[in-house]
Amino acid sequence: MKNFWIVPNYSKPQTTGCAGRIRQTLTKAGAACEIAPALQGEDACRAGAGDIPADTECVIVLGGDGTLIKAFRDLALAGRDLPVIGVNLGHIGYLAETDEAHVDEMCACLLEDRYYIENRMRIAGTVFRGGAQIYQGEALNDIILTRRETMKMVYFSLEVDGMYLSSYAADGMITATPTGSTAYNLSAGGPIILPKSRMMVLTPICPHTMSNARSIVIPADSVVEMKVERRSGESGNGSACVNFDAGVSIPLLPGDRLQICRAEVPARMIRIRETGFLETLRKKLDIQTGR
């Protein structure tokens, strides 16, 4: 690789120095490397997908998992299917391949093509209202049907491949990819799924029931559909919304349908080490528990 684009999360104090160090290392070796600027009035991050040079071969993301996920979302919206590598400057960092202390090693591997690309499954969600599509988006981690108002449950029905499964009164439903199984899904009691798997997991959030509170694991080619139901006394504005990767949030009305399936294009993550996922998971969980 010889052409790089760096996406920094400027809210991290060490980001500017780390980005400059990477750029200097790459350009000194004869590569082309540019750094995405912060948006006017913002100090966080953006992929700057519209600004990326046409010959870019690799996107380097500096930050935590949220920064990496946002970069993939920005790239998808811009139609740029580029491989991405993450440098963890956050707390846990399940998705990042390396950290600030090892960026020189990362640069050497990228310049010498000593890496492999891991395809991660993504999911696509479409919202229908009155038979018309009103929104379509994609997610690397999860698509979540949830409540808009504090302390009010969401009422909805669930179908998989056209077959009715159940109705819920709950705080919502998580539809997670294998990558997203260690995110909100894990916190909600859902199972951990190895990232190279091809499946989805449906995990209800605080369901008010004793019969359908468990997660459901389904094949990757399944089509999930949830319909928002009107509860007794509810206003016409509804109390539900759908959230894509903790970013874009779309309000839902009673009668709206959310359809979820596997996205056509996977997320391409660059890997330079053969460390197993379970080993990484153990280390990250040990950090969380202070072991």
Side-chain angles (χ1 to χ4, degrees), residues 66-79:
T67 311
L68 196 65
I69 289 169
K70 185 178 186 302
F72 272 116
R73 181 169 66 243
D74 291 348
L75 291 168
L77 289 172

Side-chain angles (χ1 to χ4, degrees), residues 37-88:
L39 289 172
Q40 183 69 30
E42 296 187 11
D43 63 351
C45 62
R46 66 166 184 173
D51 303 324
I52 301 178
D55 58 356
T56 298
E57 299 172 273
C58 172
V59 176
I60 302 172
V61 178
L62 311 183
D65 285 352
T67 311
L68 196 65
I69 289 169
K70 185 178 186 302
F72 272 116
R73 181 169 66 243
D74 291 348
L75 291 168
L77 289 172
R80 301 297 299 272
D81 178 24
L82 293 169
V84 175
I85 187 167
V87 178
N88 183 36

Side-chain angles (χ1 to χ4, degrees), residues 21-42:
R21 175 182 164 191
I22 294 172
R23 184 177 185 276
Q24 182 179 32
T25 300
L26 293 173
T27 55
K28 188 176 180 179
C33 181
E34 299 296 333
I35 302 174
L39 289 172
Q40 183 69 30
E42 296 187 11

Side-chain angles (χ1 to χ4, degrees), residues 65 91-94 182-183 186-187 192 280-291:
D65 285 352
H91 177 50
I92 299 300
Y94 285 108
T182 55
L186 177 61
S187 299
I192 294 173
T280 300
L281 179 66
R282 177 185 59 79
K283 290 179 179 178
K284 299 298 183 181
L285 292 178
D286 283 350
I287 290 174
Q288 282 186 296
T289 56
R291 296 181 181 176

Side-chain angles (χ1 to χ4, degrees), residues 122 124 138 262-266:
R122 304 172 70 202
E138 296 186 354
R262 177 167 58 176
E264 292 184 7
V265 180

Side-chain angles (χ1 to χ4, degrees), residues 203-216:
T203 298
I205 308 169
C206 300
H208 192 69
T209 179
M210 296 179 68
S211 60
N212 57 357
R214 297 183 180 276
S215 298
I216 304 170

